[in-house]
Amino acid sequence: MKNEKDQLMNNNTTQLLIIPGLGGSGENHWQSFWSNKYENVTRINQEDWNQPNLENWLMELNNTIVKLNCPIILVAHSLAVSLVLHWTEIHSNSNIKGALLVAPADVDSPIHTPEILRGFAKMPTSKLPFPSIVVASENDDYVSLERAQYFAEKWGSDFINIGLKGHVNAESKLEFWEEGQIILQKLIQTTNQ
């Protein structure tokens, strides 16, 4: 039996748009658990998860957003955070009500991210046109906590430090990531005000 929070999420008219990063967020990733748990989910499916191409990924993201004719919350992880920021520089859509931006990969930093991500640099730092929350971990190999906080400030996002959770990915073993669901619920409530 689903609990009250699950019912609220599934009965909400808002569509969660799950946007994985490099590798596509496999079956043990919290994004996959959420995709299976909630009824109101659309998940981006890039042609090549391991050879990210900004132009192709942007086109897929935009095509998916255009097809959804309802309120949307973007749920981006890692490289997908950069993708969302690049998208907002060239597109807009009034259906987007907010974004949950988890563990942004620092695409500008050769120390933190592999060369294959450099096509997504420079990380955009414009203020987002919708409410957003950046979630970061203190021991994320792909971005320093200070840099994630800097991004949040530039984007006009709320910032949440979730402690020692690595890259907040499958290796973090978060499964349904209940803490993240609470943060998501906070974002949805913000967008409904």
Side-chain angles (χ1 to χ4, degrees):
M1 177 140 187
K2 293 180 178 175
N3 67 33
E4 195 173 308
K5 180 172 64 179
D6 294 344
Q7 286 291 3
L8 181 61
M9 286 297 302
N10 282 322
N11 293 334
N12 196 315
T13 58
T14 301
Q15 192 76 9
L16 302 180
L17 181 53
I18 303 281
I19 314 169
L22 182 68
S25 296
E27 64 181 20
N28 293 321
H29 195 288
W30 60 268
Q31 284 187 316
S32 297
F33 279 87
W34 287 14
S35 294
N36 294 327
K37 177 176 185 171
Y38 297 124
E39 296 163 6
N40 57 328
V41 167
T42 298
R43 185 178 173 121
I44 291 286
N45 190 18
Q46 299 291 355
E47 188 175 317
D48 191 338
W49 287 112
N50 298 313
Q51 298 291 324
N53 176 287
L54 180 57
E55 186 177 327
N56 293 344
W57 282 32
L58 279 169
M59 187 169 53
E60 185 61 39
L61 176 59
N62 191 58
N63 289 344
T64 304
I65 289 171
V66 168
K67 287 176 190 169
L68 293 174
N69 190 22
C70 60
I72 302 165
I73 297 285
L74 306 174
V75 180
H77 176 258
S78 189
L79 182 60
V81 174
S82 173
L83 178 65
V84 166
L85 269 295
H86 282 291
W87 183 89
T88 62
E89 288 203 321
I90 55 175
H91 298 286
S92 66
N93 188 305
S94 61
N95 284 330
I96 297 178
K97 303 305 178 190
L100 181 62
L101 307 171
V102 181
D106 191 349
V107 295
D108 299 335
S109 171
I111 296 167
H112 290 98
T113 55
E115 191 60 34
I116 198 167
L117 303 191
R118 222 57 66 224
F120 284 66
K122 181 163 179 42
M123 179 72 89
T125 54
S126 302
K127 189 175 188 306
L128 288 169
F130 40 73
S132 57
I133 299 175
V134 171
V135 178
S137 163
E138 294 176 14
N139 61 336
D140 188 340
D141 290 337
Y142 293 88
V143 67
S144 70
L145 190 66
E146 295 75 22
R147 184 83 161 144
Q149 194 160 14
Y150 165 80
F151 289 144
E153 288 169 9
K154 289 293 186 182
W155 301 334
S157 307
D158 289 345
F159 179 77
I160 298 177
N161 173 354
I162 58 168
L164 303 172
K165 298 280 189 331
H167 191 46
V168 199
N169 58 5
E171 291 169 12
S172 303
K173 296 182 169 61
L174 299 171
E175 296 189 353
F176 288 100
W177 190 33
E178 288 78 4
E179 180 183 17
Q181 292 179 56
I182 291 167
I183 295 168
L184 174 64
Q185 196 60 46
K186 175 185 170 191
L187 177 63
I188 290 170
Q189 287 169 350
T190 299
T191 66
N192 289 336
Q193 292 175 355

